Amino acid sequence: MQNIISITAIGSISSLGKSSTEVWKSYLNDSHHITTKEVLGKEVFVSKISDEVKQDIEHLRLSDSKYKSLDNSVLYAIYTSREAIKQANWDGSDNFGINIGSSRGATELFETYYDSFIKNNKAETLSSPTTTLGNISSWVAHDLQTQGPEISHSITCSTALHSMLNGIAWINSGMCDKFLVGGSEAPLTAFTIAQMQALKIYSKRTDHYPCRALDFKKTKNTMVLGEGAAMVCLEKGRQGHALASIVGIGYATELLKHNISISSDAQCFQRSMKMALGDINPDEVDVIVMHAPGTIKGDLSEFKAIEKIFCNKTPFLTTNKWKIGHTFGASGTLNIELAVLMLQHQTCIGVPYIDNPKPPKKIKYVLVNAVGFGGNAVSILLSK
């Protein structure tokens, strides 16, 4: 990696809460934040933001006439971006860069507009501008009144960490000193859930933990969808007020065999983790926040990749998807948030239904993984 990059703020919303204090408190217990929602006449597992945060989002929607037509994925991004730059003491006049992505984008609006089109044979006036992927970063830039570069993209479930890669590249190029990066997802819609059910990866479990991420003994897929967003402020160099430092980045893509393919030992993760480590001895990594979506193949292939890279000493392994579900494009920066909190509090957050290894006495390095359909893996190495 060319230069150290500092994480100076994180703003997030998920079923864990809306502040770092709330989120950390939620991580410290063994309860999951998965509930149910009626979809097409049947109850399905989902992980939702709280009613309090929903009220905040509704106040945001009504605060500007232009915001009334925006999808929740955009409003979640605006809400968390405001919080992140407030923490970082950034101002719109800094003209920082923005790169925010989403896997599904404005899926709720798209489904609503398409239903209307099928019934009326006529598209709604704002159906195009409010469902294009680029409207996430552009609306955030408008809200924050900044005129720096703004980028939107979708690289499925590794979207947020790809945003981080882009921000780091812009900062290292000298074209920007600061970048706001992250992901936002509002996927709890009938069509999106039906797509995951069609892939036969959605959870039907009836025990205490609907999502069994990192349970390598499970015989059925247990992925659960969650909603949320997380934005990260990046600054050049090692800042005194930094929450954590990014000391390594890695990325890789596998050749596709089919639409959702990944090799049995996740070769993309092997390459991305090896690149992120650079000259650092793998034995020095204390914790890995795994992507681990709760599927049989996804969890196991990533674990096998870790075994290949960390052959002498396997770090403490964890994930948050058993607790908050899979937030698709936002999951990477929510993983970053968990990693930063563990570094700050020097406490490992385990998974309650597995035999967690003995936690390290000190947490110096945490590796964060994400991968999306098509084998687009990203690994980010953090230090305190």
Side-chain angles (χ1 to χ4, degrees):
M1 182 160 157
Q2 191 173 337
N3 295 299
I4 298 292
I5 302 293
S6 292
I7 294 175
T8 55
I10 300 175
S12 77
I13 53 171
S14 69
S15 58
L16 300 175
K18 63 177 182 178
S19 69
S20 61
T21 303
E22 257 187 290
V23 170
W24 183 242
K25 184 178 179 181
S26 295
Y27 272 128
L28 289 174
N29 63 59
D30 287 342
S31 300
H32 65 76
H33 289 243
I34 294 172
T35 182
T36 59
K37 176 181 179 178
E38 185 175 317
V39 177
L40 301 177
K42 294 182 178 180
E43 292 290 318
V44 297
F45 292 116
V46 295
S47 185
K48 300 182 286 188
I49 60 175
S50 69
D51 289 339
E52 180 188 354
V53 176
K54 285 180 181 177
Q55 288 179 1
D56 289 347
I57 296 299
E58 193 57 28
H59 289 151
L60 172 60
R61 187 192 306 276
L62 298 175
S63 68
D64 188 316
S65 60
K66 297 185 290 295
Y67 292 178
K68 291 180 181 179
S69 60
L70 298 181
D71 187 75
N72 277 336
S73 59
V74 180
L75 294 173
Y76 294 175
I78 292 173
Y79 184 89
T80 50
S81 295
R82 284 182 180 182
E83 177 58 28
I85 72 156
K86 178 183 177 183
Q87 289 179 28
N89 291 316
W90 290 5
D91 187 84
S93 61
D94 294 338
N95 290 332
F96 49 85
I98 296 173
N99 190 168
I100 301 169
S102 178
S103 177
R104 310 304 305 176
T107 183
E108 184 175 3
L109 271 187
F110 192 93
E111 291 172 37
T112 300
Y113 283 141
Y114 186 70
D115 284 345
S116 175
F117 173 73
I118 292 299
K119 291 176 184 176
N120 304 314
N121 290 323
K122 183 179 179 181
E124 299 281 347
T125 303
L126 295 178
S127 58
S128 174
T130 57
T131 58
T132 53
L133 190 61
N135 85 128
I136 294 185
S137 290
S138 56
W139 276 112
V140 169
H142 163 81
D143 185 75
L144 301 180
Q145 294 293 290
T146 187
Q147 297 180 31
E150 52 98 352
I151 309 161
S152 298
H153 68 233
S154 173
I155 310 179
T156 60
C157 303
S158 56
T159 292
L161 291 196
H162 273 284
S163 297
M164 189 166 279
L165 292 182
N166 285 343
I168 291 168
W170 275 77
I171 291 172
N172 280 334
S173 74
M175 296 172 69
C176 260
D177 290 330
K178 302 175 181 177
F179 235 89
L180 177 68
V181 300
S184 181
E185 210 72 53
L188 305 185
T189 65
F191 185 49
T192 305
I193 292 171
Q195 289 174 68
M196 299 303 106
Q197 291 173 329
L199 291 171
K200 303 187 186 308
I201 59 177
Y202 214 83
S203 180
K204 295 181 180 178
R205 293 190 70 94
T206 56
D207 62 14
H208 185 62
Y209 294 103
C211 177
R212 302 281 295 195
L214 283 196
D215 178 359
F216 301 121
K217 296 179 182 178
K218 62 179 175 285
T219 57
K220 293 183 179 180
N221 293 316
T222 63
M223 196 185 85
V224 173
L225 284 186
E227 61 181 345
M231 304 302 150
V232 178
C233 290
L234 304 180
E235 297 188 34
K236 184 178 181 179
R238 199 182 291 274
Q239 301 293 325
H241 60 293
L243 303 178
S245 297
I246 299 172
V247 296
I249 58 172
Y251 48 88
T253 303
E254 289 194 11
L255 296 177
L256 288 172
K257 292 183 179 178
H258 56 80
N259 290 7
I260 57 172
S261 65
I262 189 169
S263 54
S264 61
D265 56 355
Q267 293 174 23
C268 56
F269 267 139
Q270 291 185 50
R271 295 196 296 272
S272 68
M273 289 188 291
K274 188 175 181 179
M275 184 188 297
L277 289 172
D279 296 330
I280 294 172
N281 189 321
D283 292 352
E284 293 186 55
V285 175
D286 303 298
V287 182
I288 300 178
V289 181
M290 294 173 62
H291 181 71
T295 61
I296 296 171
K297 188 173 183 180
D299 291 8
L300 190 57
S301 62
E302 185 179 358
F303 178 67
K304 287 181 178 179
I306 290 169
E307 286 186 315
K308 290 282 181 70
I309 300 300
F310 299 87
C311 48
N312 295 322
K313 173 196 161 192
T314 301
F316 185 94
L317 304 179
T318 190
T319 179
N320 57 16
K321 291 185 179 64
W322 67 273
K323 200 173 192 69
I324 65 171
H326 193 353
T327 54
F328 281 164
S331 63
T333 38
L334 286 168
N335 283 353
I336 290 286
E337 179 182 52
L338 171 57
V340 169
L341 287 169
M342 286 191 291
L343 281 166
Q344 287 183 310
H345 294 276
Q346 288 294 293
T347 301
C348 288
I349 299 299
V351 179
Y353 47 79
I354 66 171
D355 292 327
N356 290 295
K358 186 177 180 180
K361 293 180 180 178
K362 183 179 179 182
I363 305 174
K364 183 180 179 183
Y365 290 114
V366 180
L367 187 67
V368 179
N369 282 340
V371 69
F373 286 155
N376 300 297
V378 180
S379 300
I380 304 287
L381 184 63
L382 303 179
S383 71
K384 196 169 184 295

